[in-house]
DNA sequence: TACAAAAGATAGTAATACTATCACACATGA
DNA sequence: TCATGTGTGATAGTATTACTATCTTTTGTA
């Protein structure tokens, strides 16, 4: 899989960038180092000026790739959902049982990302931390409707749709598949954040992945009581 | 209840403000009008300068009440969770059945707030929209640990703890009560936002409150399969 | 070698999120 | 009645941010 992946790149909707960052050395550096910086200092403190200094370039050059730092965040989150869908397709290939496919899918969405797959210039461990702490800010803005029209959230929606399909295979009468899947994705991210910062809002049990465990229980009991 | 409430005020942890906004006319105006403005223009575009102009005062005067606009957001969200807990206690009083209490609690958390209770200078309908669209930003910052230490999130944690207790009454073996409750609260808010802006991430069925319905199903099936 | 496209260098702007200082109105209490 | 202090208003100032504009230099390629 790693070999195959090394020949593949995740496509991000072209509306979120001005110039494809995959198309040049500078573009890839912008992406790689922005992930480092946002992970270190948080999205609020991150600026194109700081990034420029880090990569030995300038603000102006970065603006040729991304219209704003918000668009860069859209790029990073879109890439992440694209990557997730990619992993999902491979993970579920040739598994006949729908229940087993759903189990694997929930695992993928809720397990902690602990290994950098190393098939790109993107560090997925750091990126997953960014998604946990910052991805809500990608859509909680006044520009959400416009950006949605432009397709900025297609990757997320495709992922949700794909898993909803599995749920409908298991129980065609279940009325809220999209709601359930997006609850799991957002929920798992929030619970990981709570575990680190607001532990009284969650239940982390030493030595087990409670979050993955909880959401598996929740999904199966909800769709097939 | 309305009469009783008119004599009561929601207490917010005093660390989030410099001077209690309930203690003066100006303070109450700051809170009332900031809710209007944030609801209208979003938290990003909202500034103390604009608020000052709205209430015929100045930036400097507002800064005497709140250290920053972020602290004001903490105040508003804390007030909201305090108000929720208050309503919860009244709603659940004298209901012997734990299952019925849980049902009512989930309803309170997930139903849309459509009426301004009119017992304070705070418009709860607008505030609930702010909570839906902006409250994640109250804790998704690098200052979360410090602010948590100061007690900025106590209201939220108390509410979660209170509902968790009911769950434990129903099923003492359930291992993730806090996780379930915070998943419901955050989930319901996100789903309302999705319904308005990213409808393919949810399932809104015309003429019924799908969100409340879904989370009730989810909770009961999860704790008592 | 010629030429365009990409990147770098530099400068500038309006707005933001504060901070600092001073003046003044007004209520209280001695 | 005067002194005092508190709360508020008015004004100004700062560092930083999120861009934009323009010009020059480098680099790949035909």
């Amino acid at each position: 899989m790693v070999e195959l992946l090394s020949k593949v790149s995740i496509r991000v909707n072209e509306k979120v960038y001005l110039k494809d960052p995959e198309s040049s050395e500078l573009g890839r550096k912008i992406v790689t180092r922005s992930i480092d910086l946002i992970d270190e200092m948080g999205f609020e403190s991150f600026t194109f000026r700081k990034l420029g200094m880090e990569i030995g370039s300038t603000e102006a050059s970065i603006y040729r790739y991304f219209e704003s730092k918000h668009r860069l965040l859209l790029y990073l989150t879109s890439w992440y959902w694209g990557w997730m869908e990619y992993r999902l397709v491979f993970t579920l290939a040739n598994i006949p049982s729908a229940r087993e496919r759903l189990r694997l899918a929930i695992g993928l969405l809720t397990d902690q990302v602990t290994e950098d797959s190393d098939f790109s210039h993107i560090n997925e461990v750091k990126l997953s931390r960014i998604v946990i702490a910052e991805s809500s800010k990608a859509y909680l803005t006044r520009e959400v409707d416009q950006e949605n029209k432009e397709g900025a959230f297609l990757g997320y929606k495709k992922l949700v749709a794909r898993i909803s399909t599995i749920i409908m295979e298991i129980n065609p009468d279940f009325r809220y598949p999209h709601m359930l899947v997006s609850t799991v994705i957002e929920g798992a991210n929030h619970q990981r954040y709570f575990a680190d910062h607001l532990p009284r809002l969650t239940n982390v049990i030493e030595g087990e992945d409670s979050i993955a465990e909880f959401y598996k229980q929740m999904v199966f009991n909800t769709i097939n009581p």
Side-chain angles (χ1 to χ4, degrees), chain A:
Chain A
M1 175 162 163
V2 171
E3 284 150 68
L4 181 60
L5 286 174
S6 71
K7 311 237 184 283
V8 168
S9 81
I10 305 294
R11 285 213 172 282
V12 170
N13 185 300
E14 56 179 22
K15 290 287 181 69
V16 310
Y17 50 75
L18 296 170
K19 182 176 153 71
D20 186 356
E22 301 263 9
S23 71
S24 75
E25 191 54 38
L26 179 62
R28 286 185 295 271
K29 258 208 270 188
I30 289 171
V31 171
T32 304
R33 304 292 290 136
S34 72
I35 291 172
D36 295 339
L37 284 187
I38 295 171
D39 185 38
E40 272 167 42
M41 64 179 64
F43 187 67
E44 267 65 48
S45 302
F46 167 81
T47 69
F48 279 3
R49 174 176 291 269
K50 288 174 189 168
L51 175 58
M53 283 168 59
E54 273 287 315
I55 62 179
S57 180
T58 61
E59 258 183 298
S61 297
I62 299 164
Y63 275 105
R64 287 184 186 114
Y65 287 83
F66 294 100
E67 204 182 302
S68 65
K69 73 169 188 166
H70 182 254
R71 293 271 162 160
L72 171 58
L73 182 62
L74 287 178
Y75 180 87
L76 295 179
T77 53
S78 293
W79 193 95
Y80 183 82
W81 299 123
W83 177 67
M84 272 286 182
E85 197 193 358
Y86 204 87
R87 292 205 301 160
L88 189 74
V89 171
F90 271 85
T91 305
L92 306 190
N94 303 314
I95 310 260
S97 154
R99 295 185 72 86
E100 177 62 8
R101 268 182 284 134
L102 183 57
R103 212 183 55 76
L104 290 166
I106 307 294
L108 214 69
L109 296 180
T110 59
D111 283 342
Q112 197 153 15
V113 176
T114 51
E115 261 187 71
D116 181 10
S117 81
D118 223 28
F119 82 83
S120 71
H121 53 291
I122 290 181
N123 181 317
E124 289 93 4
V125 177
K126 290 181 183 178
L127 181 55
S128 84
R129 284 197 295 257
I130 292 173
V131 168
I132 288 169
E134 320 285 359
S135 69
S136 308
K137 298 167 192 167
Y139 56 76
L140 292 176
T141 71
R142 292 282 145 156
E143 294 75 41
V144 60
D145 297 327
Q146 179 55 34
E147 288 170 351
N148 185 34
K149 236 181 248 167
E150 292 172 20
F153 307 104
L154 273 173
Y156 193 9
K157 293 193 264 187
K158 274 180 67 185
L159 184 66
V160 168
R162 194 180 280 278
I163 302 173
S164 297
T165 307
I166 310 175
I167 293 176
M168 295 308 280
E169 251 183 83
I170 298 172
N171 178 358
D173 296 328
F174 184 67
R175 304 172 79 200
Y176 314 108
H178 293 79
M179 192 152 11
L180 181 57
V181 174
S182 60
T183 295
V184 170
I185 295 176
E186 297 289 319
N189 283 336
H190 277 97
Q191 295 299 323
R192 282 215 185 278
Y193 190 86
F194 292 159
D196 283 347
H197 302 289
L198 298 162
R200 311 202 55 159
L201 297 180
T202 188
N203 302 87
V204 262
I205 296 156
E206 190 73 48
E208 65 172 85
D209 197 339
S210 328
I211 296 173
E213 185 49 41
F214 166 75
Y215 284 107
K216 266 170 208 153
Q217 252 187 248
M218 194 190 92
V219 167
F220 282 100
N221 290 329
T222 300
I223 60 170
N224 239 340

